[in-house]
PDB file of all heavy atoms in Angstrom:
ATOM      1  N   PHE A 111       9.567  24.469  27.883  1.00 97.00           N
ATOM      2  CA  PHE A 111       9.749  24.490  26.434  1.00 97.00           C
ATOM      3  C   PHE A 111      11.118  23.965  26.029  1.00 97.00           C
ATOM      4  O   PHE A 111      11.289  23.361  24.972  1.00 97.00           O
ATOM      5  CB  PHE A 111       9.482  25.883  25.841  1.00 97.00           C
ATOM      6  CG  PHE A 111      10.448  26.955  26.241  1.00 97.00           C
ATOM      7  CD1 PHE A 111      11.689  27.050  25.641  1.00 97.00           C
ATOM      8  CD2 PHE A 111      10.099  27.903  27.200  1.00 97.00           C
ATOM      9  CE1 PHE A 111      12.584  28.056  25.992  1.00 97.00           C
ATOM     10  CE2 PHE A 111      10.984  28.917  27.549  1.00 97.00           C
ATOM     11  CZ  PHE A 111      12.227  28.988  26.962  1.00 97.00           C
ATOM     12  N   ASN A 114      10.950  20.258  26.185  1.00 98.00           N
ATOM     13  CA  ASN A 114      10.199  19.823  24.999  1.00 98.00           C
ATOM     14  C   ASN A 114      11.110  19.751  23.772  1.00 98.00           C
ATOM     15  O   ASN A 114      11.004  18.841  22.956  1.00 98.00           O
ATOM     16  CB  ASN A 114       9.041  20.777  24.718  1.00 98.00           C
ATOM     17  CG  ASN A 114       7.896  20.578  25.696  1.00 98.00           C
ATOM     18  OD1 ASN A 114       7.843  19.575  26.404  1.00 98.00           O
ATOM     19  ND2 ASN A 114       7.001  21.548  25.750  1.00 98.00           N
ATOM     20  N   ILE A 142       2.348  20.219  24.534  1.00 98.00           N
ATOM     21  CA  ILE A 142       3.395  19.917  23.547  1.00 98.00           C
ATOM     22  C   ILE A 142       4.248  18.733  23.997  1.00 98.00           C
ATOM     23  O   ILE A 142       4.596  17.862  23.197  1.00 98.00           O
ATOM     24  CB  ILE A 142       4.241  21.175  23.263  1.00 98.00           C
ATOM     25  CG1 ILE A 142       3.351  22.220  22.585  1.00 98.00           C
ATOM     26  CG2 ILE A 142       5.435  20.858  22.376  1.00 98.00           C
ATOM     27  CD1 ILE A 142       3.923  23.602  22.533  1.00 98.00           C
ATOM     28  N   PHE A 180      -2.855  18.887  16.987  1.00 98.00           N
ATOM     29  CA  PHE A 180      -1.613  18.125  16.776  1.00 98.00           C
ATOM     30  C   PHE A 180      -1.740  16.746  17.438  1.00 98.00           C
ATOM     31  O   PHE A 180      -1.357  15.734  16.870  1.00 98.00           O
ATOM     32  CB  PHE A 180      -0.423  18.873  17.389  1.00 98.00           C
ATOM     33  CG  PHE A 180      -0.045  20.130  16.658  1.00 98.00           C
ATOM     34  CD1 PHE A 180      -0.705  21.319  16.889  1.00 98.00           C
ATOM     35  CD2 PHE A 180       0.992  20.123  15.739  1.00 98.00           C
ATOM     36  CE1 PHE A 180      -0.360  22.469  16.223  1.00 98.00           C
ATOM     37  CE2 PHE A 180       1.356  21.279  15.065  1.00 98.00           C
ATOM     38  CZ  PHE A 180       0.674  22.459  15.303  1.00 98.00           C
ATOM     39  N   ASP A 241      -7.448  20.790   1.861  1.00 92.00           N
ATOM     40  CA  ASP A 241      -6.290  21.129   1.055  1.00 92.00           C
ATOM     41  C   ASP A 241      -5.924  19.930   0.195  1.00 92.00           C
ATOM     42  O   ASP A 241      -6.642  18.931   0.174  1.00 92.00           O
ATOM     43  CB  ASP A 241      -5.120  21.599   1.930  1.00 92.00           C
ATOM     44  CG  ASP A 241      -4.590  20.511   2.850  1.00 92.00           C
ATOM     45  OD1 ASP A 241      -5.116  19.390   2.776  1.00 92.00           O
ATOM     46  OD2 ASP A 241      -3.653  20.778   3.607  1.00 92.00           O
ATOM     47  N   ASN A 246      -5.788  14.046  -1.446  1.00 97.00           N
ATOM     48  CA  ASN A 246      -4.940  12.871  -1.677  1.00 97.00           C
ATOM     49  C   ASN A 246      -5.313  11.728  -0.741  1.00 97.00           C
ATOM     50  O   ASN A 246      -5.262  10.562  -1.135  1.00 97.00           O
ATOM     51  CB  ASN A 246      -3.469  13.228  -1.484  1.00 97.00           C
ATOM     52  CG  ASN A 246      -2.933  14.053  -2.632  1.00 97.00           C
ATOM     53  OD1 ASN A 246      -3.565  14.139  -3.673  1.00 97.00           O
ATOM     54  ND2 ASN A 246      -1.787  14.656  -2.443  1.00 97.00           N
ATOM     55  N   ASP A 276      -0.227  16.268  -7.298  1.00 96.00           N
ATOM     56  CA  ASP A 276       1.204  16.073  -7.062  1.00 96.00           C
ATOM     57  C   ASP A 276       1.564  14.592  -7.159  1.00 96.00           C
ATOM     58  O   ASP A 276       0.757  13.775  -7.623  1.00 96.00           O
ATOM     59  CB  ASP A 276       1.623  16.686  -5.716  1.00 96.00           C
ATOM     60  CG  ASP A 276       0.959  16.001  -4.545  1.00 96.00           C
ATOM     61  OD1 ASP A 276       0.311  14.964  -4.769  1.00 96.00           O
ATOM     62  OD2 ASP A 276       1.088  16.477  -3.416  1.00 96.00           O
ATOM     63  N   ASN A 314       7.412   3.433  -9.594  1.00 97.00           N
ATOM     64  CA  ASN A 314       7.014   2.050  -9.328  1.00 97.00           C
ATOM     65  C   ASN A 314       5.536   1.842  -9.655  1.00 97.00           C
ATOM     66  O   ASN A 314       5.152   0.816 -10.207  1.00 97.00           O
ATOM     67  CB  ASN A 314       7.270   1.691  -7.865  1.00 97.00           C
ATOM     68  CG  ASN A 314       8.747   1.478  -7.577  1.00 97.00           C
ATOM     69  OD1 ASN A 314       9.531   1.276  -8.502  1.00 97.00           O
ATOM     70  ND2 ASN A 314       9.124   1.515  -6.320  1.00 97.00           N
ATOM     71  N   LYS A 322       0.382  -4.449 -15.271  1.00 95.00           N
ATOM     72  CA  LYS A 322      -0.956  -4.984 -15.007  1.00 95.00           C
ATOM     73  C   LYS A 322      -1.923  -4.700 -16.163  1.00 95.00           C
ATOM     74  O   LYS A 322      -2.994  -5.274 -16.223  1.00 95.00           O
ATOM     75  CB  LYS A 322      -1.536  -4.378 -13.721  1.00 95.00           C
ATOM     76  CG  LYS A 322      -0.781  -4.759 -12.479  1.00 95.00           C
ATOM     77  CD  LYS A 322      -1.234  -6.084 -11.965  1.00 95.00           C
ATOM     78  CE  LYS A 322      -0.720  -6.409 -10.582  1.00 95.00           C
ATOM     79  NZ  LYS A 322       0.574  -5.897 -10.219  1.00 95.00           N
ATOM     80  N   GLN A 353       3.304 -12.880 -14.571  1.00 94.00           N
ATOM     81  CA  GLN A 353       1.849 -12.903 -14.785  1.00 94.00           C
ATOM     82  C   GLN A 353       1.483 -12.788 -16.257  1.00 94.00           C
ATOM     83  O   GLN A 353       0.433 -13.244 -16.676  1.00 94.00           O
ATOM     84  CB  GLN A 353       1.186 -11.756 -14.013  1.00 94.00           C
ATOM     85  CG  GLN A 353       1.156 -12.006 -12.524  1.00 94.00           C
ATOM     86  CD  GLN A 353       0.511 -10.863 -11.791  1.00 94.00           C
ATOM     87  OE1 GLN A 353       0.791  -9.697 -12.079  1.00 94.00           O
ATOM     88  NE2 GLN A 353      -0.333 -11.164 -10.835  1.00 94.00           N
TER      89      GLN A 353
ATOM     90  P    DG B   1       9.192  27.453  17.079  1.00 68.03           P
ATOM     91  OP1  DG B   1       9.516  27.290  15.682  1.00 68.03           O
ATOM     92  OP2  DG B   1       8.183  28.292  17.568  1.00 68.03           O
ATOM     93  O5'  DG B   1       9.043  26.000  17.723  1.00 68.03           O
ATOM     94  C5'  DG B   1      10.145  25.108  17.638  1.00 68.03           C
ATOM     95  C4'  DG B   1       9.868  23.971  18.602  1.00 68.03           C
ATOM     96  O4'  DG B   1       9.594  24.517  19.881  1.00 68.03           O
ATOM     97  C3'  DG B   1       8.606  23.172  18.253  1.00 68.03           C
ATOM     98  O3'  DG B   1       8.937  22.150  17.343  1.00 68.03           O
ATOM     99  C2'  DG B   1       8.256  22.575  19.623  1.00 68.03           C
ATOM    100  C1'  DG B   1       8.675  23.676  20.575  1.00 68.03           C
ATOM    101  N9   DG B   1       7.556  24.513  20.991  1.00 68.03           N
ATOM    102  C8   DG B   1       6.784  25.353  20.242  1.00 68.03           C
ATOM    103  N7   DG B   1       5.867  25.958  20.939  1.00 68.03           N
ATOM    104  C5   DG B   1       6.050  25.467  22.234  1.00 68.03           C
ATOM    105  C6   DG B   1       5.348  25.742  23.427  1.00 68.03           C
ATOM    106  O6   DG B   1       4.388  26.505  23.593  1.00 68.03           O
ATOM    107  N1   DG B   1       5.869  25.019  24.496  1.00 68.03           N
ATOM    108  C2   DG B   1       6.930  24.162  24.423  1.00 68.03           C
ATOM    109  N2   DG B   1       7.297  23.564  25.549  1.00 68.03           N
ATOM    110  N3   DG B   1       7.588  23.896  23.327  1.00 68.03           N
ATOM    111  C4   DG B   1       7.092  24.579  22.271  1.00 68.03           C
ATOM    112  P    DT B   2       7.889  21.792  16.211  1.00 68.03           P
ATOM    113  OP1  DT B   2       8.638  21.088  15.171  1.00 68.03           O
ATOM    114  OP2  DT B   2       7.112  23.007  15.921  1.00 68.03           O
ATOM    115  O5'  DT B   2       6.912  20.761  16.923  1.00 68.03           O
ATOM    116  C5'  DT B   2       7.435  19.551  17.482  1.00 68.03           C
ATOM    117  C4'  DT B   2       6.292  18.728  18.025  1.00 68.03           C
ATOM    118  O4'  DT B   2       5.538  19.542  18.960  1.00 68.03           O
ATOM    119  C3'  DT B   2       5.274  18.318  16.989  1.00 68.03           C
ATOM    120  O3'  DT B   2       5.670  17.083  16.442  1.00 68.03           O
ATOM    121  C2'  DT B   2       3.993  18.146  17.807  1.00 68.03           C
ATOM    122  C1'  DT B   2       4.180  19.153  18.937  1.00 68.03           C
ATOM    123  N1   DT B   2       3.370  20.394  18.798  1.00 68.03           N
ATOM    124  C2   DT B   2       2.209  20.488  19.505  1.00 68.03           C
ATOM    125  O2   DT B   2       1.806  19.604  20.239  1.00 68.03           O
ATOM    126  N3   DT B   2       1.518  21.655  19.325  1.00 68.03           N
ATOM    127  C4   DT B   2       1.882  22.718  18.534  1.00 68.03           C
ATOM    128  O4   DT B   2       1.187  23.719  18.456  1.00 68.03           O
ATOM    129  C5   DT B   2       3.129  22.556  17.814  1.00 68.03           C
ATOM    130  C7   DT B   2       3.622  23.665  16.922  1.00 68.03           C
ATOM    131  C6   DT B   2       3.806  21.421  17.976  1.00 68.03           C
ATOM    132  P    DA B   3       5.763  16.946  14.834  1.00 68.03           P
ATOM    133  OP1  DA B   3       6.508  15.702  14.572  1.00 68.03           O
ATOM    134  OP2  DA B   3       6.178  18.232  14.239  1.00 68.03           O
ATOM    135  O5'  DA B   3       4.242  16.711  14.440  1.00 68.03           O
ATOM    136  C5'  DA B   3       3.584  15.518  14.869  1.00 68.03           C
ATOM    137  C4'  DA B   3       2.269  15.386  14.117  1.00 68.03           C
ATOM    138  O4'  DA B   3       1.450  16.537  14.373  1.00 68.03           O
ATOM    139  C3'  DA B   3       2.416  15.382  12.597  1.00 68.03           C
ATOM    140  O3'  DA B   3       2.668  14.038  12.192  1.00 68.03           O
ATOM    141  C2'  DA B   3       1.009  15.796  12.171  1.00 68.03           C
ATOM    142  C1'  DA B   3       0.551  16.687  13.309  1.00 68.03           C
ATOM    143  N9   DA B   3       0.540  18.103  12.980  1.00 68.03           N
ATOM    144  C8   DA B   3       1.603  18.918  12.707  1.00 68.03           C
ATOM    145  N7   DA B   3       1.273  20.153  12.457  1.00 68.03           N
ATOM    146  C5   DA B   3      -0.111  20.148  12.566  1.00 68.03           C
ATOM    147  C6   DA B   3      -1.078  21.148  12.405  1.00 68.03           C
ATOM    148  N6   DA B   3      -0.801  22.416  12.094  1.00 68.03           N
ATOM    149  N1   DA B   3      -2.366  20.811  12.579  1.00 68.03           N
ATOM    150  C2   DA B   3      -2.666  19.553  12.898  1.00 68.03           C
ATOM    151  N3   DA B   3      -1.846  18.526  13.070  1.00 68.03           N
ATOM    152  C4   DA B   3      -0.573  18.899  12.892  1.00 68.03           C
ATOM    153  P    DG B   4       3.372  13.802  10.768  1.00 68.03           P
ATOM    154  OP1  DG B   4       3.821  12.406  10.762  1.00 68.03           O
ATOM    155  OP2  DG B   4       4.281  14.928  10.533  1.00 68.03           O
ATOM    156  O5'  DG B   4       2.184  13.928   9.728  1.00 68.03           O
ATOM    157  C5'  DG B   4       1.055  13.065   9.837  1.00 68.03           C
ATOM    158  C4'  DG B   4       0.158  13.273   8.669  1.00 68.03           C
ATOM    159  O4'  DG B   4      -0.052  14.673   8.452  1.00 68.03           O
ATOM    160  C3'  DG B   4       0.692  12.778   7.330  1.00 68.03           C
ATOM    161  O3'  DG B   4       0.266  11.432   7.207  1.00 68.03           O
ATOM    162  C2'  DG B   4       0.002  13.668   6.310  1.00 68.03           C
ATOM    163  C1'  DG B   4      -0.549  14.817   7.135  1.00 68.03           C
ATOM    164  N9   DG B   4      -0.172  16.131   6.677  1.00 68.03           N
ATOM    165  C8   DG B   4       1.050  16.747   6.728  1.00 68.03           C
ATOM    166  N7   DG B   4       1.031  17.955   6.242  1.00 68.03           N
ATOM    167  C5   DG B   4      -0.286  18.140   5.834  1.00 68.03           C
ATOM    168  C6   DG B   4      -0.922  19.249   5.217  1.00 68.03           C
ATOM    169  O6   DG B   4      -0.421  20.321   4.900  1.00 68.03           O
ATOM    170  N1   DG B   4      -2.261  19.006   4.971  1.00 68.03           N
ATOM    171  C2   DG B   4      -2.920  17.844   5.282  1.00 68.03           C
ATOM    172  N2   DG B   4      -4.207  17.787   4.982  1.00 68.03           N
ATOM    173  N3   DG B   4      -2.352  16.811   5.867  1.00 68.03           N
ATOM    174  C4   DG B   4      -1.042  17.020   6.103  1.00 68.03           C
ATOM    175  P    DG B   5       1.032  10.430   6.333  1.00 68.03           P
ATOM    176  OP1  DG B   5       0.918   9.166   7.053  1.00 68.03           O
ATOM    177  OP2  DG B   5       2.333  11.011   6.022  1.00 68.03           O
ATOM    178  O5'  DG B   5       0.215  10.294   4.976  1.00 68.03           O
ATOM    179  C5'  DG B   5      -1.208  10.244   4.973  1.00 68.03           C
ATOM    180  C4'  DG B   5      -1.673  10.376   3.537  1.00 68.03           C
ATOM    181  O4'  DG B   5      -1.471  11.731   3.102  1.00 68.03           O
ATOM    182  C3'  DG B   5      -0.877   9.527   2.554  1.00 68.03           C
ATOM    183  O3'  DG B   5      -1.548   8.277   2.428  1.00 68.03           O
ATOM    184  C2'  DG B   5      -1.001  10.321   1.249  1.00 68.03           C
ATOM    185  C1'  DG B   5      -1.088  11.762   1.742  1.00 68.03           C
ATOM    186  N9   DG B   5       0.171  12.490   1.671  1.00 68.03           N
ATOM    187  C8   DG B   5       1.262  12.368   2.481  1.00 68.03           C
ATOM    188  N7   DG B   5       2.234  13.187   2.161  1.00 68.03           N
ATOM    189  C5   DG B   5       1.738  13.873   1.059  1.00 68.03           C
ATOM    190  C6   DG B   5       2.327  14.882   0.276  1.00 68.03           C
ATOM    191  O6   DG B   5       3.451  15.384   0.375  1.00 68.03           O
ATOM    192  N1   DG B   5       1.472  15.301  -0.739  1.00 68.03           N
ATOM    193  C2   DG B   5       0.220  14.828  -0.952  1.00 68.03           C
ATOM    194  N2   DG B   5      -0.458  15.358  -1.965  1.00 68.03           N
ATOM    195  N3   DG B   5      -0.346  13.896  -0.220  1.00 68.03           N
ATOM    196  C4   DG B   5       0.459  13.462   0.760  1.00 68.03           C
ATOM    197  P    DG B   6      -0.636   7.003   2.241  1.00 68.03           P
ATOM    198  OP1  DG B   6      -1.547   5.850   2.392  1.00 68.03           O
ATOM    199  OP2  DG B   6       0.569   7.142   3.069  1.00 68.03           O
ATOM    200  O5'  DG B   6      -0.185   7.067   0.734  1.00 68.03           O
ATOM    201  C5'  DG B   6      -1.179   7.029  -0.301  1.00 68.03           C
ATOM    202  C4'  DG B   6      -0.463   6.941  -1.614  1.00 68.03           C
ATOM    203  O4'  DG B   6       0.465   8.016  -1.709  1.00 68.03           O
ATOM    204  C3'  DG B   6       0.401   5.690  -1.767  1.00 68.03           C
ATOM    205  O3'  DG B   6      -0.405   4.665  -2.317  1.00 68.03           O
ATOM    206  C2'  DG B   6       1.446   6.146  -2.787  1.00 68.03           C
ATOM    207  C1'  DG B   6       1.513   7.645  -2.579  1.00 68.03           C
ATOM    208  N9   DG B   6       2.761   8.074  -1.967  1.00 68.03           N
ATOM    209  C8   DG B   6       3.155   7.965  -0.665  1.00 68.03           C
ATOM    210  N7   DG B   6       4.356   8.439  -0.460  1.00 68.03           N
ATOM    211  C5   DG B   6       4.758   8.875  -1.705  1.00 68.03           C
ATOM    212  C6   DG B   6       5.963   9.480  -2.122  1.00 68.03           C
ATOM    213  O6   DG B   6       6.960   9.744  -1.437  1.00 68.03           O
ATOM    214  N1   DG B   6       5.960   9.769  -3.474  1.00 68.03           N
ATOM    215  C2   DG B   6       4.921   9.520  -4.323  1.00 68.03           C
ATOM    216  N2   DG B   6       5.084   9.879  -5.592  1.00 68.03           N
ATOM    217  N3   DG B   6       3.784   8.970  -3.951  1.00 68.03           N
ATOM    218  C4   DG B   6       3.781   8.672  -2.641  1.00 68.03           C
ATOM    219  P    DT B   7      -0.006   3.172  -2.050  1.00 68.03           P
ATOM    220  OP1  DT B   7      -1.186   2.372  -2.413  1.00 68.03           O
ATOM    221  OP2  DT B   7       0.574   3.120  -0.700  1.00 68.03           O
ATOM    222  O5'  DT B   7       1.155   2.820  -3.083  1.00 68.03           O
ATOM    223  C5'  DT B   7       0.894   2.877  -4.478  1.00 68.03           C
ATOM    224  C4'  DT B   7       1.998   2.157  -5.213  1.00 68.03           C
ATOM    225  O4'  DT B   7       3.249   2.782  -4.913  1.00 68.03           O
ATOM    226  C3'  DT B   7       2.190   0.724  -4.795  1.00 68.03           C
ATOM    227  O3'  DT B   7       1.302  -0.097  -5.519  1.00 68.03           O
ATOM    228  C2'  DT B   7       3.637   0.474  -5.220  1.00 68.03           C
ATOM    229  C1'  DT B   7       4.292   1.827  -5.016  1.00 68.03           C
ATOM    230  N1   DT B   7       5.096   1.891  -3.784  1.00 68.03           N
ATOM    231  C2   DT B   7       6.444   1.682  -3.894  1.00 68.03           C
ATOM    232  O2   DT B   7       6.995   1.469  -4.954  1.00 68.03           O
ATOM    233  N3   DT B   7       7.132   1.738  -2.718  1.00 68.03           N
ATOM    234  C4   DT B   7       6.617   1.975  -1.477  1.00 68.03           C
ATOM    235  O4   DT B   7       7.343   2.001  -0.496  1.00 68.03           O
ATOM    236  C5   DT B   7       5.182   2.189  -1.413  1.00 68.03           C
ATOM    237  C7   DT B   7       4.524   2.461  -0.106  1.00 68.03           C
ATOM    238  C6   DT B   7       4.505   2.139  -2.558  1.00 68.03           C
ATOM    239  P    DT B   8       0.812  -1.407  -4.851  1.00 68.03           P
ATOM    240  OP1  DT B   8      -0.382  -1.808  -5.606  1.00 68.03           O
ATOM    241  OP2  DT B   8       0.763  -1.255  -3.387  1.00 68.03           O
ATOM    242  O5'  DT B   8       1.986  -2.431  -5.170  1.00 68.03           O
ATOM    243  C5'  DT B   8       2.333  -2.707  -6.535  1.00 68.03           C
ATOM    244  C4'  DT B   8       3.319  -3.836  -6.583  1.00 68.03           C
ATOM    245  O4'  DT B   8       4.450  -3.498  -5.779  1.00 68.03           O
ATOM    246  C3'  DT B   8       2.815  -5.129  -5.983  1.00 68.03           C
ATOM    247  O3'  DT B   8       2.148  -5.862  -6.991  1.00 68.03           O
ATOM    248  C2'  DT B   8       4.107  -5.833  -5.573  1.00 68.03           C
ATOM    249  C1'  DT B   8       5.067  -4.679  -5.307  1.00 68.03           C
ATOM    250  N1   DT B   8       5.355  -4.492  -3.864  1.00 68.03           N
ATOM    251  C2   DT B   8       6.554  -4.955  -3.393  1.00 68.03           C
ATOM    252  O2   DT B   8       7.363  -5.511  -4.099  1.00 68.03           O
ATOM    253  N3   DT B   8       6.760  -4.749  -2.058  1.00 68.03           N
ATOM    254  C4   DT B   8       5.908  -4.133  -1.178  1.00 68.03           C
ATOM    255  O4   DT B   8       6.212  -4.010  -0.006  1.00 68.03           O
ATOM    256  C5   DT B   8       4.659  -3.649  -1.739  1.00 68.03           C
ATOM    257  C7   DT B   8       3.673  -2.959  -0.865  1.00 68.03           C
ATOM    258  C6   DT B   8       4.456  -3.848  -3.038  1.00 68.03           C
ATOM    259  P    DA B   9       0.909  -6.754  -6.615  1.00 68.03           P
ATOM    260  OP1  DA B   9       0.336  -7.186  -7.890  1.00 68.03           O
ATOM    261  OP2  DA B   9       0.057  -6.077  -5.612  1.00 68.03           O
ATOM    262  O5'  DA B   9       1.618  -7.987  -5.913  1.00 68.03           O
ATOM    263  C5'  DA B   9       2.477  -8.843  -6.653  1.00 68.03           C
ATOM    264  C4'  DA B   9       2.057 -10.271  -6.415  1.00 68.03           C
ATOM    265  O4'  DA B   9       2.249 -10.587  -5.020  1.00 68.03           O
ATOM    266  C3'  DA B   9       0.569 -10.522  -6.698  1.00 68.03           C
ATOM    267  O3'  DA B   9       0.420 -11.805  -7.244  1.00 68.03           O
ATOM    268  C2'  DA B   9      -0.075 -10.422  -5.356  1.00 68.03           C
ATOM    269  C1'  DA B   9       1.009 -10.919  -4.416  1.00 68.03           C
ATOM    270  N9   DA B   9       0.968 -10.257  -3.127  1.00 68.03           N
ATOM    271  C8   DA B   9       0.884  -8.926  -2.852  1.00 68.03           C
ATOM    272  N7   DA B   9       0.863  -8.650  -1.580  1.00 68.03           N
ATOM    273  C5   DA B   9       0.928  -9.899  -0.974  1.00 68.03           C
ATOM    274  C6   DA B   9       0.935 -10.311   0.363  1.00 68.03           C
ATOM    275  N6   DA B   9       0.877  -9.461   1.380  1.00 68.03           N
ATOM    276  N1   DA B   9       1.000 -11.628   0.612  1.00 68.03           N
ATOM    277  C2   DA B   9       1.067 -12.477  -0.401  1.00 68.03           C
ATOM    278  N3   DA B   9       1.070 -12.216  -1.698  1.00 68.03           N
ATOM    279  C4   DA B   9       0.993 -10.892  -1.919  1.00 68.03           C
ATOM    280  P    DG B  10      -1.023 -12.164  -7.856  1.00 68.03           P
ATOM    281  OP1  DG B  10      -0.742 -13.153  -8.899  1.00 68.03           O
ATOM    282  OP2  DG B  10      -1.745 -10.920  -8.162  1.00 68.03           O
ATOM    283  O5'  DG B  10      -1.802 -12.901  -6.690  1.00 68.03           O
ATOM    284  C5'  DG B  10      -1.324 -14.161  -6.233  1.00 68.03           C
ATOM    285  C4'  DG B  10      -2.354 -14.745  -5.305  1.00 68.03           C
ATOM    286  O4'  DG B  10      -2.305 -14.026  -4.053  1.00 68.03           O
ATOM    287  C3'  DG B  10      -3.803 -14.630  -5.794  1.00 68.03           C
ATOM    288  O3'  DG B  10      -4.493 -15.844  -5.516  1.00 68.03           O
ATOM    289  C2'  DG B  10      -4.391 -13.484  -5.003  1.00 68.03           C
ATOM    290  C1'  DG B  10      -3.602 -13.566  -3.709  1.00 68.03           C
ATOM    291  N9   DG B  10      -3.441 -12.286  -3.018  1.00 68.03           N
ATOM    292  C8   DG B  10      -3.588 -11.021  -3.520  1.00 68.03           C
ATOM    293  N7   DG B  10      -3.374 -10.078  -2.644  1.00 68.03           N
ATOM    294  C5   DG B  10      -3.063 -10.772  -1.485  1.00 68.03           C
ATOM    295  C6   DG B  10      -2.735 -10.304  -0.175  1.00 68.03           C
ATOM    296  O6   DG B  10      -2.666  -9.144   0.205  1.00 68.03           O
ATOM    297  N1   DG B  10      -2.487 -11.350   0.700  1.00 68.03           N
ATOM    298  C2   DG B  10      -2.546 -12.674   0.381  1.00 68.03           C
ATOM    299  N2   DG B  10      -2.277 -13.535   1.360  1.00 68.03           N
ATOM    300  N3   DG B  10      -2.843 -13.137  -0.826  1.00 68.03           N
ATOM    301  C4   DG B  10      -3.094 -12.130  -1.711  1.00 68.03           C
TER     302       DG B  10
END
Side-chain angles (χ1 to χ4, degrees):
Chain A
F111 66 79
N114 285 345
I142 294 166
F180 290 83
D241 65 2
N246 286 346
D276 64 8
N314 285 342
K322 295 276 191 328
Q353 287 180 316

